[in-house]
Amino acid sequence: MYLPRSLISKLYSHLQNTRHPLSPPVLLLVALEPDALCACRILTRLLKHDYIPHKIQPVAGYGDLERVGRDLVSPMMETQGGAGGVVVCLGVGGMVDLGTVLGLEPEGEESTFGGVEVWVIDSHRPWNLGNVFGGFPLEPETEDAKTYQARTPAGVSAGRIDRAYKPGKGGIIVFDDGDIEDDLGPQKDAYMALVEMPDIEDDGQDLDDSDSESESEDEDVRGSAPRAGQKRKSWSGQDDDESEDEDEDRPRQRRRSNSVRIFDKLAISKFHTC
């Protein structure tokens, strides 16, 4: 999901109104870069002013981000025994699938994010489209809600957060600085078309056997029909035989010429002796 600039204060206002001293601290994942460090200083001043507990965790690369997700973020999930909470990524996470890297979308499980809400404030490009237009827990599937759009949480339209959105269920929220709505229109349409495509079901046919049978049939057809390479090979073989015959004839001619020369020499010598 992404938060447009017109609603930039919506999430922080909700955090300010719902947090208390006993709430789990906000986890700040900060990249070791000047922009991220400056943003961390500004955000911590706001959190201290509003008496919101927080914790700062430096992140040195995406490998370190995956380790932090495994050790600190995943235990925050309600399905893992945690109480949920807010994770803020400053200068990191915009280019990767955070749901997978942080362990918030386990494979084979219906319940995702577990009440953990991840805010992404990152200037690195390109954006990961899964974070921008996806990254939210789907509503339970019913007879009336079977498609991706129908199972989207209330207040989210094609990944865009509206005023009706209510935080608290978790998800990935990217703070838009203007380039998402202005520049990623075609990417949004393509992404939504892909997620709406039905899954390909296996009808039980073994495609490998059919491929092997077709390959064997092709080999039989190629074996029965004369190939151009074979024809050229036979021609080349005939040419080789003819050339060998000519070579055999040529030495004979040379031998005859040598014998003539010998005879000429003999005749000349006899003529001189006479």
Side-chain angles (χ1 to χ4, degrees), residues 14-251:
H14 180 269
L15 177 67
Q16 185 179 5
N17 295 329
T18 56
R19 292 290 159 170
H20 51 81
L22 298 180
S23 299
V26 177
L27 180 60
L28 305 181
L29 305 182
V30 185
L32 302 179
E33 297 179 357
D35 292 343
L37 296 176
C38 293
C40 178
R41 181 176 178 83
I42 296 172
L43 182 57
T44 52
R45 289 286 298 271
L46 290 175
L47 295 174
K48 290 179 181 179
H49 181 270
D50 296 327
Y51 301 101
I52 298 176
H54 57 278
K55 177 182 178 181
I56 301 175
Q57 177 64 44
V59 176
Y62 287 106
D64 196 16
L65 179 64
E66 186 175 1
R67 180 189 60 80
V68 171
R70 181 177 60 253
D71 297 339
L72 300 178
V73 180
S74 294
M76 295 173 59
M77 299 175 63
E78 296 174 353
T79 55
Q80 301 291 336
V86 176
V87 179
V88 182
C89 294
L90 297 177
V92 66
M95 299 175 61
V96 296
D97 185 3
L98 284 176
T100 302
V101 174
L102 298 179
L104 299 176
E105 292 182 298
E107 295 183 1
E109 295 186 9
E110 291 292 336
S111 59
T112 57
F113 297 102
V116 178
E117 195 171 80
V118 182
W119 300 356
V120 183
I121 305 173
D122 191 2
S123 61
H124 294 93
R125 298 294 181 271
W127 284 115
N128 183 280
L129 299 182
N131 297 335
V132 176
F133 304 116
F136 48 79
L138 295 174
E139 298 293 337
E141 183 176 354
T142 60
E143 295 182 357
D144 298 332
K146 293 183 178 180
T147 62
Y148 184 84
Q149 290 285 355
R151 298 178 61 188
T152 302
V156 179
S157 176
R160 186 182 188 275
I161 293 178
D162 299 331
R163 295 187 180 275
Y165 176 76
K166 294 182 179 180
K169 294 184 178 180
I172 310 294
I173 301 177
V174 176
F175 281 60
D176 182 20
D177 56 359
D179 58 348
I180 294 178
E181 289 192 334
D182 295 340
D183 302 333
L184 297 185
Q187 288 81 354
K188 179 182 68 174
D189 297 337
Y191 183 88
M192 301 310 297
L194 285 175
V195 296
E196 289 291 351
M197 292 179 63
D199 296 333
I200 299 176
E201 297 181 357
D202 187 7
D203 55 359
Q205 295 181 357
D206 193 354
L207 299 178
D208 295 336
D209 294 341
S210 61
D211 293 339
S212 60
E213 291 177 358
S214 61
E215 290 177 358
S216 61
E217 291 177 357
D218 293 339
E219 290 178 356
D220 294 338
V221 172
R222 289 196 298 268
S224 60
R227 290 181 293 180
Q230 292 179 348
K231 185 178 293 184
R232 286 195 296 269
K233 184 176 180 181
S234 61
W235 291 345
S236 62
Q238 184 177 359
D239 295 339
D240 294 339
D241 295 339
E242 292 177 355
S243 62
E244 290 178 357
D245 294 339
E246 292 177 357
D247 293 339
E248 291 179 356
D249 294 339
R250 287 174 184 173

